[in-house]
Amino acid sequence: MKLVDALLGGRRGRRLLLEFALESESILLGEDAENPLNTGMYYASYQADPDRGQGVAFFGPGAEAARNTMVTADEVASLLAAVALVPATEGTLRRALFRSVDSARYWQQPDGHDVIAGSEPVRKLLVRVAEHLAGSADAARWMRPASTADQWSVEGESHAGAAPSWPAGEAASAVLASWRTEVENAERRAMPDRFADPSANFSGEWWSMPPAKLRHSTGAFTDGSPVGLWCVEDGFGWDRAETRRLSVLPSARILEITDAQAWAELCREYPLDVTAQKRHDWYRTTGRIGRWTMPDFSQAARDHDGVHLTVAAYLALAGEAIAIDEDSASVIAGWNPDETYWFTDDARHYDAPEAWECADANFGDAAWLRVASIS
């Protein structure tokens, strides 16, 4: 899968491209000046949002007129065509990635920005942005596999003054066995308790990543800050965190999720039926009706030491219906980009944790700064 295709092929990738264009406009015109694309997107997003008033809301004087202002996808495309693009640096790319990940939601329909970014006229104009980003060495790293020499775990805390705490490590085999039992029990309970109609008002555990109790980690940006600090789906509003290097044997067998085929093969080789418990959430986010499968990671652990989702694969696949066979499909949801889950107890923390604080978590402008090493 080429990077351009990954950026254009999934809603998270298209949202990243749109966010990059919006930031380019803001940088070049100034935040205090009129930003036509930004303004047009607010009106268009409001009208396109299935939960109108949630992602974009208007209130105060002039709110009623704003609610009735129509901006079409064709008009947004025209505004997008007029935006000059700033250089694709690690900083501008990271902010666009952060905003795309932060806006992911798989328990309901895509928001207005995602709908507009996926519309045909806007999608065509995003090709220029994708080609611009694909020429960047920093964006090219989004295709890279997991490096055993550069893995970082993150523990966050949203309450100021309360230090994060590292949980005691359980044996990976025990975590996986318990997780498998919980998923199977949830499926048995959901079969009689939830309507087969996928549009019925039910919701549950919509994610499909391995159990969170497993050690998991990401690589780091070139400034040394772990990707997992910045990119968290359905985040908890962390304003402080600790990071620790994870030591992994160079011989670790890491299963790489690089495209839809890799995920589909994982589901086919280690299938786990989750139709009853996930059909309602995954129908809302994909519009697909049918059987749903996810990988049985407890079985995958027999043949692999870990599983890694590349940034490019995340951008192309997160939230999309991925065909497994003629009857079944799956969804990658709850994963963070560049995240590896470890099935082996040989992945261990040795170094002391480092403290980080988030300088500004408002408006997608989070800035994580290293505080000090913790003894």
Side-chain angles (χ1 to χ4, degrees):
M1 181 172 56
K2 296 181 179 179
L3 182 55
V4 168
D5 296 330
L7 293 170
L8 292 167
R11 72 186 71 169
R12 302 275 49 84
R14 292 189 294 270
R15 180 61 171 267
L16 179 145
L17 297 173
L18 179 60
E19 294 292 349
F20 187 90
L22 288 166
E23 174 156 3
S24 292
E25 180 186 62
S26 177
I27 290 172
L28 295 173
L29 299 182
E31 292 183 359
D32 296 330
E34 180 182 356
N35 286 198
L37 176 61
N38 184 68
T39 301
M41 272 302 305
Y42 262 88
Y43 290 126
S45 178
Y46 177 81
Q47 297 296 334
D49 199 314
D51 295 320
R52 190 171 299 169
Q54 298 297 315
V56 176
F58 298 110
F59 54 89
E64 187 61 30
R67 294 188 191 100
N68 295 322
T69 299
M70 300 294 296
V71 175
T72 67
D74 285 307
E75 290 172 314
V76 170
S78 296
L79 296 171
L80 177 58
V83 173
L85 302 176
V86 299
T89 65
E90 183 170 76
T92 54
L93 289 168
R94 182 165 58 193
R95 285 190 291 274
L97 179 61
F98 166 83
R99 292 167 185 166
S100 178
V101 174
D102 190 53
S103 59
R105 60 184 203 182
Y106 309 120
W107 55 93
Q108 58 193 104
Q109 295 167 280
D111 67 17
H113 273 59
D114 282 358
V115 172
I116 295 299
S119 66
E120 184 177 359
V122 173
R123 199 167 178 167
K124 289 180 179 178
L125 269 296
L126 288 175
V127 173
R128 172 178 69 105
V129 187
E131 292 174 343
H132 177 70
L133 300 195
S136 162
D138 289 303
R141 296 190 185 96
W142 293 345
M143 304 283 286
R144 68 185 180 185
S147 168
T148 56
D150 182 35
Q151 291 296 314
W152 297 86
S153 296
V154 179
E155 286 291 326
E157 179 57 64
S158 59
H159 304 293
S165 60
W166 289 89
E170 295 182 52
S173 59
V175 171
L176 287 163
S178 176
W179 168 83
R180 166 68 185 262
T181 299
E182 290 173 2
V183 174
E184 289 180 326
N185 288 341
E187 186 69 8
R188 279 194 290 268
R189 289 193 299 268
M191 286 179 182
D193 292 346
R194 299 187 182 186
F195 297 147
D197 178 2
S199 64
N201 189 25
F202 289 96
S203 184
E205 295 185 354
W206 44 264
W207 47 89
S208 62
M209 75 285 193
K213 287 184 178 180
L214 289 176
R215 291 184 179 89
H216 49 280
S217 58
T218 66
F221 293 107
T222 59
D223 65 0
S225 62
V227 176
L229 266 179
W230 301 84
C231 299
V232 182
E233 283 199 348
D234 194 30
F236 302 101
W238 295 344
D239 54 32
R240 57 181 294 150
E242 290 178 4
T243 64
R244 294 180 72 179
R245 183 184 290 275
L246 190 70
S247 177
V248 184
L249 294 174
S251 59
R253 302 164 301 167
I254 304 174
L255 177 63
E256 292 288 344
I257 305 300
T258 57
D259 54 23
Q261 181 178 349
W263 181 261
E265 289 178 353
L266 182 61
C267 291
R268 284 193 290 266
E269 189 166 1
Y270 312 103
L272 190 57
D273 192 311
V274 290
T275 303
Q277 62 187 291
K278 298 191 188 295
R279 66 156 58 94
H280 302 94
D281 288 313
W282 286 2
Y283 164 75
R284 277 189 289 272
T285 195
T286 67
R288 178 188 177 276
I289 299 174
R291 291 181 59 248
W292 293 104
T293 304
M294 68 174 287
D296 182 347
F297 297 108
S298 69
Q299 298 301 309
R302 297 177 306 182
D303 305 311
H304 305 282
D305 296 319
V307 57
H308 171 241
L309 180 68
T310 67
V311 177
Y314 169 86
L315 293 171
L317 303 175
E320 309 294 334
I322 301 171
I324 306 304
D325 52 40
E326 293 182 357
D327 300 319
S328 182
S330 186
V331 175
I332 294 177
W335 285 71
N336 297 318
D338 195 38
E339 193 162 38
T340 303
Y341 284 86
W342 299 99
F343 305 147
T344 172
D345 295 327
D346 290 332
R348 299 177 182 177
H349 299 109
Y350 289 103
D351 296 341
E354 291 186 327
W356 296 75
E357 290 186 353
C358 190
D360 185 1
N362 296 321
F363 309 110
D365 293 325
W368 284 98
L369 304 173
R370 186 185 282 107
V371 178
S373 293
I374 301 173
S375 57

